[in-house]
Amino acid sequence: MIVPDGRTPPADLVDPPLDYPPYRASQKRHPKEPLVILPSTLSELTGPVFGPGAVRPTDGDLTRQHAGEPIGERIVLEGRVLDDGGRAVTGALVEVWQANSAGRYAHKEDRHGAPLDPNFTGAGRALTDAAGRYRFETIRPGAYPWLNHPNAWRPSHIHFSLFGLGLVQRLVTQMYFPGDPLLALDPIFQSVPGERAQSRLVARFDLGLTEPERALGFRFDIVLRGRAATPMTG
Amino acid sequence: MSELTPSQTVGPYFALAVPWPGRTAAFPPETPGRRILIEGRVLDGDGVPVSDALLETWQASPAGRYLTEPSHEPGGLARAVVDGAGAWAIETLMPGPVVGPGGSTQAPHLLVSVFARGLLVRLVTRIYFPDAGDLSADPVLRQVPPARRSTLVASAIAQDRYRFDIVLQGPGETVFFAP
């Protein structure tokens, strides 16, 4: 059995509060009772471990899931998944989902009037390699309006879901693009306390990742709580 | 020490990326054990069903073992996307008791992660069973204020069938643990 050693720095240093009034949907959905704080047990320290069969090689390329190529600006998105000691998290399942280049999700509940793209679903998965590295190829998602407040627009973003080592490392977050003027106006991004923690959600443009004649490159490293796996017999 | 990546809401469109919508078995069909169904709803502070939530449950096998061998479909994990009425259900096997802190025994339970539009951080709770294990000796339940413990225990509604509602806010609010 493999478990992390359970060292879990307080997440509230970087995580948004559950009650964040500018994000309207949080108002009726946040618990009002205090969270019960417990030392992690085996239930939290373990978690599902995904083998290579969990991901098909094509799952990481969102531009080649249909007969034709999606409309939009192609990007390569690469990064490393690390623990808080800077060590690689190997075998992490990384799931992403996003709007198309016009800002529309291929989801039945998305009523935004922007066009769907028959060549783009906007979902991908990857497992991190021995260096904790993942890689996606996709198109840059568009910004889109939402109803949180008058004239509200979500900045371009890609949703990330990660299963690391043990459920203490479970993380769902969103990745943003550098220089987006909508970041300063977005209550979901602004719910993260402090510019320093906010900057952890913004990818970096990386010329080295760019594929000449094909795609721009962005780097997004992700740091999960807890330390790297310690093999244990149990 | 590297700086942690902050959490953000799962938003309303996560179902695009979840390959197993709806009722989900956490173990392969041939695994021995008592097959159970757990169903419930997710409700907000007004008692209104939350129609865009994702639940993930993690549990030990009937033998009380967490299955952590790499697998394309890890045993012990279930994922359920709520429907338009905030309802969810999973089919699984009754977990066995597992070791707890200080040589204690944790009663059979499922660890539950709750994600939803409006939730900026994952919520964590547990599902216990009224007829499985010694709840009064469970080291986690003992840390929960007695008046609120019942929010962590499913109701038996039929043979091998349980109900567990998750109340995010207000009267009957479910106990959530710091993740």
Side-chain angles (χ1 to χ4, degrees):
Chain A
M1 177 178 296
I2 293 177
V3 299
D5 74 358
R7 192 170 62 91
T8 50
D12 54 8
L13 295 177
V14 297
D15 280 336
L18 282 160
D19 178 11
Y20 188 69
Y23 178 31
R24 220 176 56 192
S26 75
Q27 286 315 283
K28 294 293 182 183
R29 295 184 171 193
H30 70 273
K32 296 202 165 176
E33 297 283 348
L35 302 180
V36 175
I37 299 169
L38 289 174
S40 295
T41 75
L42 200 57
S43 308
E44 293 81 19
L45 296 172
T46 56
V49 181
F50 293 87
V55 171
R56 293 168 299 184
T58 53
D59 288 349
D61 190 343
L62 286 68
T63 70
R64 296 180 200 272
Q65 295 175 343
H66 298 275
E69 287 224 49
I71 303 281
E73 183 183 342
R74 286 190 211 105
I75 59 171
V76 169
L77 187 54
E78 190 179 296
R80 291 181 73 204
V81 180
L82 305 168
D83 68 22
D84 62 1
R87 280 158 297 200
V89 180
T90 301
L93 178 68
V94 184
E95 297 170 296
V96 295
W97 65 102
Q98 63 168 93
N100 68 21
S101 61
R104 175 87 184 264
Y105 287 86
H107 187 289
K108 63 181 189 322
E109 296 297 328
D110 187 357
R111 307 289 161 78
H112 180 31
L116 286 166
D117 183 340
N119 290 313
F120 193 71
T121 302
R125 351 171 70 197
L127 287 174
T128 56
D129 67 14
R133 196 181 301 111
Y134 70 86
R135 185 179 194 275
F136 292 102
E137 190 158 336
T138 183
I139 53 96
R140 185 174 174 137
Y144 57 84
W146 60 314
L147 299 175
N148 187 72
H149 56 273
N151 200 17
W153 291 79
R154 291 296 334 272
S156 293
H157 62 277
I158 296 178
H159 294 266
F160 272 73
S161 159
L162 290 106
F163 283 92
L165 290 160
L167 285 171
V168 290
Q169 291 195 327
R170 185 84 179 91
L171 177 70
V172 169
T173 190
Q174 300 182 27
M175 184 214 88
Y176 301 90
F177 290 86
D180 190 332
L182 293 172
L183 290 176
L185 306 173
D186 179 49
I188 293 179
F189 179 75
Q190 292 295 330
S191 70
V192 173
E195 286 183 15
R196 192 181 170 102
Q198 288 171 6
S199 71
R200 303 283 315 164
L201 296 179
V202 182
R204 283 186 297 118
F205 172 69
D206 187 336
L207 190 66
L209 284 179
T210 293
E211 286 197 6
E213 315 297 323
R214 178 160 177 88
L216 288 174
F218 289 89
R219 183 170 295 285
F220 182 57
D221 293 333
I222 296 165
V223 180
L224 304 177
R225 288 200 289 162
R227 295 180 62 176
T230 307
M232 269 179 44
T233 306
Chain B
M1 175 154 157
S2 305
E3 292 179 40
L4 301 178
T5 302
S7 170
Q8 292 272 269
T9 179
V10 77
Y13 304 128
F14 53 83
L16 270 180
V18 176
W20 319 288
R23 184 174 300 184
T24 312
F27 291 93
E30 66 275 15
T31 309
R34 180 181 154 210
R35 297 201 73 80
I36 57 171
L37 177 79
I38 310 171
E39 62 184 37
R41 288 198 302 168
V42 182
L43 302 166
D44 76 7
D46 289 332
V48 174
V50 171
S51 62
D52 41 20
L54 168 67
L55 303 188
E56 290 170 356
T57 62
W58 172 244
Q59 63 170 99
S61 71
R65 225 180 124 249
Y66 283 102
L67 305 182
T68 54
E69 298 80 14
S71 166
H72 67 283
E73 197 177 0
L77 174 71
R79 261 177 156 180
V81 177
V82 300
D83 67 17
W88 60 276
I90 62 165
E91 284 175 2
T92 186
L93 298 175
M94 177 63 80
V98 295
V99 66
S104 60
T105 300
Q106 302 190 65
H109 66 276
L110 278 63
L111 188 70
V112 185
S113 299
V114 184
F115 304 93
R117 180 177 66 86
L119 277 180
L120 286 160
V121 185
R122 170 174 74 117
L123 292 180
V124 177
T125 187
R126 287 180 170 216
I127 301 174
Y128 287 86
F129 302 91
D131 51 358
D134 183 358
L135 300 187
S136 64
D138 182 87
V140 168
L141 282 177
R142 288 168 69 104
Q143 303 287 321
V144 174
R148 302 189 63 213
R149 284 179 198 161
S150 65
T151 70
L152 299 175
V153 183
S155 312
I157 53 173
Q159 182 70 30
D160 300 325
R161 193 163 173 157
Y162 298 90
R163 179 165 190 87
F164 187 83
D165 288 332
I166 294 170
V167 180
L168 297 178
Q169 187 186 87
E173 184 176 303
T174 301
V175 168
F176 297 103
F177 299 97

